[in-house]
Amino acid sequence: MRHAPLILTGLLLGLGLACGGGSGSAAPATMAAPAPAATGFTYTDPTGTGWRLVKDPASTSTRVLLNLVGPSGLMTRGVGFNLKAAAGVTFGTYHVDIPATTHATDFAIQDLGVYELLNTDPRDPWTGDPIPHHPLEPTLLAGFVKSGNVLSVGIFQKDRRATAKDSGAPLCQIALQFDSAAGLKAGDTISLAVTKAKYQAEDIGTFQTYPTLEMVQKAKLVDLSLAVGSLRAN
């Protein structure tokens, strides 16, 4: 019988440990609140000093304006690129009134005044006398949205007599519009990817009235690497 107290003591210790374990258990985890619906987005500029799309100060939370800037000191005559955007983005347009006419149009690109888009020396085709620019003179400025939500834009000097321009200044602008119908949540990342980009080099051959082999060979566009920043819904 002398072993009975030891057995009883062991049972009491076991019960005590069992009770102690139950009282020290963690409380059930609470469910995280779902992210609220996004009402706009923010854009963070890419790093580096090469070709890049940088945010214009006039941007808003629902319309982000991106300026195309190139490497400082690189002389070019034009540039074009394709930009693909994921759901949540539509590409905005710019309303353009043509002076001295009733014509107006909407482009998905805006000229920022660096490249010379018009004839540098307009003349009457019959007399050869200098004449003012015609209000409907064509320019090599274009911007439209292709299938797959791909923006294709281009801006080029058409007159070989115009000098090449330093690419380190904002050359043109595009607009990203927030699309509330996409159902994005605050914090979602929106993909932006450049699928193609090229520029017109400084040396395009000596100007001639009629095309020459040199002009054709040197008019080829040069591939470029265009950096895009990050876009996030908020």
Side-chain angles (χ1 to χ4, degrees):
M1 295 297 294
R2 67 178 62 180
H3 298 294
L6 295 177
I7 296 173
L8 181 59
T9 301
L11 289 174
L12 292 175
L13 286 173
L15 291 173
L17 290 174
C19 294
S23 62
S25 59
T30 57
M31 294 291 291
T39 58
F41 43 37
T42 57
Y43 180 85
T44 303
D45 289 343
T47 58
T49 57
W51 289 98
R52 58 205 185 276
L53 289 172
V54 298
K55 182 179 176 180
D56 189 276
S59 300
T60 68
S61 62
T62 57
R63 183 177 169 92
V64 175
L65 307 177
L66 299 183
N67 297 334
L68 174 67
V69 181
S72 180
L74 176 65
M75 308 301 289
T76 63
R77 296 174 177 272
V79 63
F81 63 89
N82 290 348
L83 178 66
K84 181 178 178 61
V89 172
T90 60
F91 294 103
T93 58
Y94 299 85
H95 189 71
V96 179
D97 291 310
I98 302 177
T101 74
T102 59
H103 294 78
T105 188
D106 290 332
F107 286 114
I109 180 176
Q110 177 164 268
D111 171 35
L112 295 181
V114 175
Y115 291 128
E116 296 180 67
L117 303 184
L118 300 175
N119 190 334
T120 62
D121 187 22
R123 292 181 177 272
D124 186 290
W126 304 108
T127 66
D129 296 331
I131 58 175
H133 287 287
H134 192 283
L136 295 181
E137 179 181 345
T139 60
L140 298 182
L141 174 71
F144 58 93
V145 180
K146 304 190 296 184
S147 61
N149 205 28
V150 176
L151 173 67
S152 184
V153 297
I155 179 171
F156 296 90
Q157 296 182 161
K158 67 178 182 180
D159 193 337
R160 289 173 177 266
R161 294 167 295 186
T163 59
K165 303 300 184 287
D166 191 325
S167 303
L171 304 173
C172 64
Q173 185 180 97
I174 63 172
L176 308 181
Q177 295 278 165
F178 178 73
D179 182 9
S180 59
L184 295 177
K185 301 296 184 182
D188 287 349
T189 298
I190 306 169
S191 173
L192 294 174
V194 175
T195 60
K196 181 183 294 185
K198 295 177 180 287
Y199 71 89
Q200 182 73 69
E202 177 180 11
D203 183 8
I204 54 174
T206 304
F207 172 77
Q208 300 290 338
T209 304
Y210 299 99
T212 65
L213 179 60
E214 179 196 34
M215 293 167 64
V216 173
Q217 291 175 334
K218 291 187 174 182
K220 295 180 180 179
L221 299 178
V222 182
D223 290 333
L224 67 89
S225 178
L226 177 56
V228 185
S230 60
L231 189 65
R232 185 176 295 274
N234 62 14

